[in-house]
Amino acid sequence: MKLVKISTIIFVLGLSSCLSWAFAKSTFNDMPAGEYKVDLSHASIVWKVSHLGLSNYVARFTEFDAAINYDASDISKSQVTASINPMSIQTAYPNAAEKDFNNILATEKDWFNAKTFANIKFASTSVDMITEKTAVMKGNLTFLGVTKVISLDVVLNGAMTKQPFTGKPTLGFSASTNIVRSEFGMGKYIPSIGDNVEVLIEGEFAYSDK
């Protein structure tokens, strides 16, 4: 029994060592320069807005695309582009059979008006590195036909020159921003429904060898 236990312990320690090596992170400067595309299976865009001052209503978009033109020698020179399909809005409205709230938000003119404005687009214009792992990114957000500069707080979570499941160089980020929806022409039900919308973004970006 003792020999079995000892061999088991040795096996577990060996496996742990192998896994630690396999999941080892790299520095962002070690990563190859070039285009990285978002991995939708490990990405999300979630937004929150005040509902009557009682709670924050939470929803998300499920269809979007994003890419980073990554400059490893100077991260501040990297560029980000993104596009969101507003028809992909997903809420937790409980009675979808009686009222398709997702479709109402997506298509009605007072809301996302997706039949007229089929995409929400973002293109970065600057990246200001605050620390080695945090940055402020500014860029142009085009929403409901209106383009305005917004600012995102970005956290550089980590990087791997070889992500163990895909084998590709991969970058990971979190970002957040606040948008004043009335500035883009969406003013319905303010102030009962908040004017300020908090947007939370998570994403892994895999190197694209084209």
Side-chain angles (χ1 to χ4, degrees):
M1 290 294 292
K2 289 183 179 180
L3 289 175
V4 172
K5 288 182 179 179
I6 291 172
S7 62
T8 301
I9 292 171
I10 292 173
F11 172 77
V12 170
L13 290 174
L15 180 61
S16 298
S17 177
C18 290
L19 288 174
S20 297
W21 175 83
F23 289 94
K25 287 185 178 179
S26 305
T27 68
F28 280 85
N29 290 332
D30 290 334
M31 302 300 289
E35 184 180 48
Y36 289 73
K37 293 185 177 180
V38 68
D39 172 7
L40 289 176
S41 61
H42 298 96
S44 63
I45 300 176
V46 176
W47 51 266
K48 302 194 298 184
V49 64
S50 173
H51 179 256
L52 301 173
L54 299 174
S55 67
N56 287 311
Y57 194 80
V58 180
R60 67 193 301 154
F61 295 107
T62 60
E63 295 180 20
F64 53 91
D65 191 22
I68 302 173
N69 186 1
Y70 184 67
D71 188 331
S73 62
D74 187 349
I75 297 175
S76 67
K77 293 181 179 178
S78 302
Q79 294 179 313
V80 177
T81 56
S83 178
I84 301 169
N85 177 6
M87 286 298 297
S88 71
I89 190 170
Q90 187 177 84
T91 68
Y93 195 84
N95 300 315
E98 299 174 15
K99 180 181 181 180
D100 191 346
F101 189 50
N102 294 341
N103 189 64
I104 289 171
L105 286 180
T107 60
E108 284 195 356
K109 291 183 178 180
D110 289 336
W111 294 115
F112 287 87
N113 197 7
K115 292 180 180 179
T116 302
F117 304 103
N119 291 290
I120 301 168
K121 294 185 177 182
F122 173 81
S124 69
T125 54
S126 67
V127 178
D128 183 16
M129 297 299 299
I130 306 302
T131 69
E132 288 185 357
K133 290 295 184 81
T134 60
V136 174
M137 178 188 297
K138 292 185 178 180
N140 294 317
L141 176 68
T142 301
F143 176 42
L144 295 175
V146 178
T147 300
K148 288 188 174 293
V149 176
I150 66 167
S151 177
L152 298 96
D153 294 319
V154 180
V155 178
L156 289 70
N157 295 322
M160 289 183 171
T161 53
K162 187 176 182 180
Q163 202 257 42
F165 300 113
T166 66
K168 295 182 177 181
T170 302
L171 306 168
F173 301 93
S174 299
S176 62
T177 188
N178 288 277
I179 296 169
V180 181
R181 63 186 180 97
S182 62
E183 292 183 350
F184 294 87
M186 184 192 285
K188 190 170 184 175
Y189 294 147
I190 294 173
S192 297
I193 305 300
D195 194 12
N196 185 73
V197 181
E198 183 181 4
V199 183
L200 305 171
I201 302 165
E202 298 289 340
E204 293 182 19
F205 292 77
Y207 185 73
S208 173
D209 52 15
K210 301 178 181 180

